[in-house]
Amino acid sequence: MRYSSVITAILLAVIAPTDADACRLSTSGSKCVLAGPPAPERQSAINRLRDAQARGAPIRPGTILPRNQYNILLLADYYGLPGVKDGWVYMEVERNVYRVDFRTYKVLELVTDQTAANW
């Protein structure tokens, strides 16, 4: 029994890779860099999709939106919304849809709940 544990220890010492073995493919003048612990697991596709579709906090009516920061939603009928009229437009802000006065960029109401399933 004693001999088998001594032989096992010797074999482990001989077989175990060293830092020099890890760098045996390096060329002259290059440095050997050993990899550290593995990178954390990547976020699953389902979690990325859920995060991408998350809506921001609702904006209160009367809030003035900054110009040239949010998209005007065109083709309102495609999204199941009534047509645009009387100087207001639909704007998308953090995955929410708002009815906004086009001249002043004042939020009139949140209309996300009125959009069709393709929104």
Side-chain angles (χ1 to χ4, degrees):
M1 269 322 214
R2 272 178 52 180
Y3 293 113
S4 64
S5 44
V6 170
I7 292 173
T8 304
I10 292 171
L11 284 175
L12 286 176
V14 170
I15 295 173
T18 62
D19 290 343
D21 290 336
C23 293
R24 66 178 171 233
L25 296 177
S26 65
T27 58
S28 63
S30 65
K31 294 182 180 179
C32 180
V33 178
L34 298 178
E41 289 187 33
R42 294 179 184 224
Q43 191 177 21
S44 73
I46 293 173
N47 289 340
R48 283 195 315 258
L49 181 63
R50 183 191 64 227
D51 294 344
Q53 293 180 346
R55 299 192 194 288
I59 298 173
R60 292 191 324 252
T63 303
I64 306 294
L65 296 177
R67 291 192 179 270
N68 302 324
Q69 189 171 348
Y70 301 110
N71 295 326
I72 294 175
L73 193 65
L74 302 175
L75 303 172
D77 56 338
Y78 176 76
Y79 296 108
L81 296 167
V84 174
K85 59 181 176 182
D86 298 332
W88 54 264
V89 294
Y90 294 109
M91 295 192 82
E92 185 231 339
V93 179
E94 297 177 0
R95 301 262 318 132
N96 283 316
V97 180
Y98 296 93
R99 194 166 61 93
V100 177
D101 183 286
F102 187 66
R103 274 186 309 113
T104 62
Y105 273 49
K106 181 178 180 181
V107 174
L108 303 174
E109 69 175 320
L110 173 68
V111 294
T112 306
D113 58 342
Q114 298 173 21
T115 57
N118 54 357
W119 173 253

